[in-house]
Amino acid sequence: GQRGFAPQEVWPQDDKIDAKFARQQRHLSLEEFREDRGVRRRCANFGIDTATFEKWSSEFIRDAQSEKLEKLKAENLVPKLKREGRGALEIFVNNQFFAYLAENAPETVKNIGYLRKISDMRYPHEWMPDVRKIPRKIIMHVGPTNSGKTYHALQRLQGAKNGVYCSPLRLLAFEVYQRMNKAGIACNLMTGEDRRGPNYEDGVVKPTGYSILGTAVTGVVSCTIEMAPLKRCQVAVIDEIQMIGDKHRGWAWTVALLNLPASELHLCGEESAVPIVKRICATLDEEVEVRTYGRLGALRTSEKSLEYDWKRIQPGDCVVTFSRQNIYNIKYTIESQTGMRCAVIYGGLPPEAR
């Protein structure tokens, strides 16, 4: 056979997994636990030194092997081994050790209880009790693309004394920032990479007031969702609310939904987000008003293709391609064959260029 290769034992059928087999697996898991450096590092993070770990791990293993620990009794491990198979006891034994410490040496693990308490994320509606005192009117604007759902929410924001627009993209935040200032509404832009205020010099925008330091104060903020300021305001708009289900960024929509202290909270997005938003708001004792919109313009598929004849392109058309090189190649071709100017847009462009 190959050197350094240890074949893994074949896992038995369920009818062969009995108390005797469970004791063998428990013994192996406890020995691995004793030598696991990861467990020792975890203990060190909780203030448990090596000597203390050696003392209590030995007593834990002794009591487990003696069938003194209810959850680690062989007969109680049989169903778990049948259900979860190989590796079922690895994390389970680690957790049982810390439970053993909590019961038998509470002073040793007092830091664990504190860390568990401050990291408990099960009740997010309790994070900001002051927000729960504010009566919020929650309105969902749902519908397909080009249905006017965001437009109606922004109209309400424009008419408010103060507020915030929360966007999933820097580009959208920048567009709303420009839109507000062009309408004469003092608006700040706040993203992870950019901070800017209105241009007061052109006279279109006037500050809503001045701070005690003499700096201009604006009433509206346009920001990316992660930068949402959790300050009291009249109207807040959260765009693309269906992103609340995204495994990487959904937390930001959840935080904004739970904690924006706005008298009116407008949520824009797909209809698929309605059930989860209603469930979350039910835990807050808040009701959700749902407004549904239809597409404003019909989307139809042409019966004919351009067949790469760029001379047939018309003003206002949009060409979608799938690489930056193709974008510039097609731009050059359209401009050289038609004489029309062609704008480009892709993710790497700064907002101003877009």
Side-chain angles (χ1 to χ4, degrees):
Q2 297 179 359
R3 294 183 63 185
F5 175 77
Q8 201 169 32
E9 182 182 352
V10 177
W11 191 256
Q13 297 293 325
D14 283 358
D15 60 347
K16 300 294 185 183
I17 298 177
D18 53 15
K20 180 180 178 181
F21 179 80
R23 280 191 289 272
Q24 294 172 347
Q25 294 300 310
R26 182 183 62 194
H27 174 76
L28 292 172
S29 295
L30 289 171
E31 289 302 312
E32 290 175 1
F33 161 79
R34 191 200 301 270
E35 302 300 325
D36 190 342
R37 294 183 179 180
V39 175
R40 293 171 182 264
R41 284 194 298 269
R42 187 179 174 190
C43 287
N45 291 336
F46 291 139
I48 302 173
D49 58 33
T50 301
T52 304
F53 172 78
E54 293 288 351
K55 174 181 182 297
W56 285 107
S57 62
S58 296
E59 293 192 19
F60 167 70
I61 292 172
R62 182 197 64 205
D63 288 350
Q65 299 283 37
S66 303
E67 304 285 344
K68 293 181 179 180
L69 305 181
E70 185 67 24
K71 292 187 177 181
L72 285 175
K73 287 183 177 181
E75 60 186 20
N76 294 333
L77 294 177
V78 171
K80 185 174 184 66
L81 291 168
K82 289 182 178 180
R83 185 173 62 251
E84 300 179 27
R86 194 188 306 275
L89 302 186
E90 181 179 355
I91 297 177
F92 185 70
V93 166
N94 292 349
N95 291 337
Q96 290 306 305
F97 171 66
F98 287 104
Y100 181 84
L101 281 180
E103 181 178 351
N104 294 279
E107 284 300 311
T108 302
V109 293
K110 59 183 179 181
N111 289 339
I112 297 178
Y114 171 71
L115 291 172
R116 183 183 291 117
K117 182 178 179 180
I118 64 174
S119 61
D120 188 349
M121 309 292 281
R122 292 175 297 170
Y123 309 106
H125 55 281
E126 298 179 357
W127 293 346
M128 294 185 68
D130 289 343
V131 178
R132 305 284 76 83
K133 299 175 184 178
I134 300 171
R136 301 193 305 173
K137 182 178 181 180
I138 301 177
I139 302 170
M140 284 195 76
H141 305 264
V142 299
T145 302
N146 192 31
S147 61
K149 55 186 184 294
T150 306
Y151 169 81
H152 286 89
L154 289 176
Q155 285 294 102
R156 185 66 192 95
L157 180 61
Q158 283 188 224
K161 182 180 179 180
N162 50 52
V164 59
Y165 168 75
C166 303
S167 163
L169 300 172
R170 287 180 298 158
L171 174 60
L172 290 177
F174 183 76
E175 287 180 355
V176 171
Y177 160 78
Q178 286 187 315
R179 171 178 172 171
M180 291 292 173
N181 285 298
K182 286 180 180 179
I185 301 168
C187 178
N188 285 339
L189 175 68
M190 186 165 60
T191 72
E193 299 179 356
D194 200 1
R195 304 281 197 288
R196 66 181 72 184
N199 180 14
Y200 296 115
E201 296 179 359
D202 58 14
V204 176
V205 181
K206 295 182 179 180
T208 57
Y210 294 89
S211 69
I212 58 174
L213 299 177
T215 56
V217 175
T218 59
V220 178
V221 175
S222 181
C223 63
T224 44
I225 187 74
E226 288 85 355
M227 302 298 294
L230 303 180
K231 296 181 179 180
R232 188 76 167 89
C233 63
Q234 187 177 357
V235 173
V237 178
I238 302 177
D239 211 350
E240 303 297 345
I241 186 61
Q242 72 278 359
M243 289 286 288
I244 198 170
D246 184 83
K247 66 179 181 179
H248 298 296
R249 299 182 64 201
W251 63 269
W253 276 263
T254 303
V255 169
L257 173 60
L258 290 169
N259 300 321
L260 274 175
S263 299
E264 287 184 25
L265 184 58
H266 294 259
L267 314 175
C268 308
E270 298 175 4
E271 195 167 0
S272 61
V274 172
I276 188 172
V277 169
K278 283 190 171 182
R279 287 201 302 272
I280 291 174
C281 291
T283 67
L284 311 176
D285 292 326
E286 293 179 322
E287 295 183 357
V288 181
E289 176 187 339
V290 180
R291 300 178 184 176
T292 305
Y293 302 81
R295 184 182 288 275
L296 296 176
L299 186 64
R300 297 186 298 271
T301 304
S302 175
E303 296 179 358
K304 296 181 180 179
S305 167
L306 292 179
E307 297 179 347
Y308 292 101
D309 182 1
W310 299 113
K311 292 180 181 179
R312 299 165 63 185
I313 206 82
Q314 298 179 17
D317 284 353
C318 173
V319 179
V320 180
T321 185
F322 301 98
S323 75
R324 188 163 54 183
Q325 183 177 354
N326 279 349
I327 289 174
Y328 283 103
N329 288 342
I330 293 173
K331 167 185 166 67
Y332 173 78
T333 303
I334 291 174
E335 290 182 341
S336 62
Q337 292 186 9
T338 66
M340 293 188 293
R341 295 293 303 278
C342 180
V344 299
I345 179 171
Y346 55 88
L349 284 173
E352 294 87 345
R354 285 186 265 187

